[in-house]
Amino acid sequence: MRFIQRKLLMIVSAVLVTGLVVAACGGGGATATPRVIERTVVATPTAGPTPTARVVEQTVVVVATAGPTPTARIVERTVVVVATAGPTPTPAPTGTPIIIIQTATATPVPGFGAATREVLGFRWINQELNWRQAPKRGGTHVYAFPIPSGGTDPILSRSFTVMAAVNTAYNQLFRCKLAPDLEIADINQCTPSSDLAISFEVSSDGRVWTLKLDPNATWQRVPEGARGYSTDLSSLYGRAVVADDIVHTVGYWQGTLTKPDGSPQGTPSSTAFAANIAEARAIDEKTVQFTLTNPDPVLPSTLSTFNARVVPPEVFNLDGDYTQRTVGSGAFILEKWDRTVEWSSVANPNFWRMGGDGQPLPYIDRHTVKRIGTDTARSGMITGVVDSALNVGVSGPSSAVAFARQCQSCQVIEFSQAHASFALGFRTEGDTAPFKDRRARLAIAKSIDYEALITNVHEGAASVFPNTNPWPATFDAKPTLQDLGAGASDDENPYIYNPELARELWAASGHSTGEKYTLIYHEYSSRNTNQSIFIASSISDILDIDVEAVKAANIAIYYTAVGFLGPPHQQFEGLAMYTSNVGTTNAEQPNRMSSNSPENQPQFQRPEIDAFAAEWSQGPSVERAREMALAIYAIEIEELRRMPYPEPFRYATYSGRLRNTWQQIRGGEMFHQGSAHTEVIWLDD
């Protein structure tokens, strides 16, 4: 019984820390609007000493490293419960809820567009700016994006090409706090904060969450002539966001709804963030209650994932999905959408969140995404036609400096992240899979000279990190290639380059010289092409085989090949570049590696990982999280189903007039997964 009580106290104490993190929304230097924060924990008394909860909140430490860019060392906030001797408590009722009430949104620094003084992980190369400026209003922000939009339904497709079109229109219950609300921001962190949900109450067993919705939140009044406008939705336009909307949304997240024609709804591309919700029900118009299958002490973080968007039932009742029209509660109304040319959103004149100047957000009048390639985007930024771009051909330190010389008014920022975004994947499944034998996979791995790749392709500005989680989850210090072997000998360490052993392993696995394979990849940026070509060439030379790096004709072909949006996976011939975002919490990667996860591209089928994923979602201690991270990483090395691409330093480029932008990696990249940031950008014209 005492163990159960201690475990319960650990869970609810973790909820308190999470709630307080959500509560602490005030910007640096400003005072948040005072609100009551109630914390009540009543435990069933037992004979003898009572465990006392000790809350320990660990924060980010920035480790100064040799070279231009500081390395962010991330330590997740957690709770440690320490049993201490003390008097036996007076008997009290059991099961009293923990109630946490917090401010709805950040209180902006009066007169400023941002509270931010520093962004950890950023190094300015050109035109460093002071964030704490009075915002200006008006103007059109132009974003250059080289890829056609994949649609407008953020639940049926989690592609960043969809998010680039619609994430400015939709809100979430919770979201990663925006940089302008933080005095010290960090690109490698996600601090959950309120979006539509302004307060919550959690039961003492951590399973029942009761959320209060913002009383001011309303659905957009879509103007006549805008994409998807319909008189059939007149009752939706401008009405309040209510609890029944959330109940409907959860059903859509989980794929359980029935279309108006009686057929099942489309299959969501990701269900992990909603899988633990056993029931959602409306308590009253502005109160919704979730009953979870298992306790989730970090539910606000879980629901801060970029595609957990809230959608109105009326659109589904009309169309059966959200592909034909977009009606959100967000700062921008999607007015025009031509997936191959341009999509444009106009400021929502009835948006319910206030800016630093005391007026409703957003600051800009319009956000336009133009589908243009790298060279045109580069020219557009230099001439002042483009404000930001997915890619302007800056891929390393020298090209960043060269671009700054060409565009002296442009902002150029170097930043680094703590996880691997891409990996070399092997086809291991199916009767004709060429890499079923681990020895063949190890031969491929030991044919890759990581040190030469980092030096020759990235000018030394890159590191190799695990695919499982940001490196601080597993290692005490930034790992070396030796460390990444998880204690294996040099012969067994897949990161240690050894051409002779690679050839021996290739032959021992039944393969021979002269074989031909392709390595399919998508060019998110030029670094993907450069790395894929180097890797293919290195493998070809060492094993005397022919590996061709093949750029997919479009992102849809690539997604299908790797199974990015869901099964079937591994629909490629031999090798492929896998991609995966890190997620808002360290629980997400184990979930993606679970046997039945639709995001399990490498096809791990290990009961241990399934058990770790389930346990991690319940808020383990720091010590237990480290144990599980080490165990999962050991399985990663044992199975060897993928090898990370080096993670290079990255470069953001913005026009000289653009303000309040940064790359929030864990919350989604600016202007696609992280498009909520568009709400607070402004133009200094």
Side-chain angles (χ1 to χ4, degrees), residues 542-558:
I542 299 306
L543 298 181
D544 193 18
I545 61 177
D546 184 4
V547 178
E548 180 184 7
V550 177
K551 182 169 70 174
N554 57 60
I555 198 168
I557 291 174
Y558 170 71

Side-chain angles (χ1 to χ4, degrees), residues 134 186 320 425:
D186 187 340

Side-chain angles (χ1 to χ4, degrees), residues 302-381:
T302 302
L303 295 181
S304 292
T305 188
F306 67 84
N307 55 330
R309 302 286 157 172
V310 175
V311 291
E314 289 93 332
V315 172
F316 180 84
N317 294 337
L318 182 63
D319 300 325
D321 56 31
Y322 295 87
T323 61
Q324 303 304 308
R325 64 199 86 242
T326 301
V327 184
S329 55
F332 290 89
I333 299 170
L334 184 61
E335 189 177 56
K336 300 176 182 177
W337 182 77
D338 183 330
R339 64 176 299 271
T340 62
V341 179
E342 177 181 312
W343 45 100
S344 184
S345 299
V346 64
N348 177 3
N350 301 298
F351 191 53
W352 37 276
R353 185 171 287 135
M354 296 296 160
D357 58 0
Q359 301 299 314
L361 291 168
Y363 295 119
I364 61 173
D365 295 330
R366 184 176 292 274
H367 169 64
T368 297
V369 182
K370 292 182 179 290
R371 193 196 158 220
I372 54 180
T374 299
D375 293 340
T376 305
R378 185 186 185 97
S379 298
M381 191 170 290

Side-chain angles (χ1 to χ4, degrees), residues 132 486 624-625:
R132 296 167 69 89
R624 180 55 180 157

Side-chain angles (χ1 to χ4, degrees), residues 157-311:
S157 175
R158 59 190 175 90
S159 169
F160 78 111
T161 68
V162 174
M163 306 306 157
V166 300
N167 271 12
T168 57
Y170 292 115
N171 287 101
Q172 303 171 254
L173 289 170
F174 303 97
R175 67 181 182 183
C176 296
K177 187 180 285 189
L178 308 185
D181 296 336
L182 294 162
E183 185 169 357
I184 304 296
D186 187 340
I187 64 169
N188 284 296
Q189 290 286 21
C190 171
T191 301
S193 65
S194 299
D195 198 2
L196 288 172
I198 62 169
S199 67
F200 54 81
E201 173 185 313
V202 188
S203 65
S204 56
D205 64 0
R207 292 182 59 244
V208 181
W209 288 68
T210 306
L211 280 58
K212 290 287 187 182
L213 304 180
D214 193 306
N216 300 311
T218 59
W219 296 105
Q220 297 164 345
R221 299 180 184 273
V222 176
E224 289 188 49
R227 175 184 181 266
Y229 173 84
S230 173
T231 56
D232 292 336
L233 298 174
S234 58
S235 62
L236 167 64
Y237 299 146
R239 78 161 172 82
V241 177
V242 297
D244 283 334
D245 299 328
I246 310 304
V247 174
H248 164 82
T249 294
V250 171
Y252 197 57
W253 287 348
Q254 296 178 334
T256 61
L257 302 184
T258 301
K259 291 183 178 183
D261 64 6
S263 63
Q265 72 160 86
T267 302
S269 65
S270 176
T271 59
F273 63 88
N276 193 31
I277 302 176
E279 180 188 18
R281 66 188 185 98
I283 304 300
D284 58 42
E285 189 174 76
K286 285 291 184 176
T287 309
V288 65
Q289 188 173 87
F290 294 160
T291 300
L292 309 182
T293 303
N294 298 299
D296 182 358
V298 292
L299 185 66
S301 292
T302 302
L303 295 181
S304 292
T305 188
F306 67 84
N307 55 330
R309 302 286 157 172
V310 175
V311 291

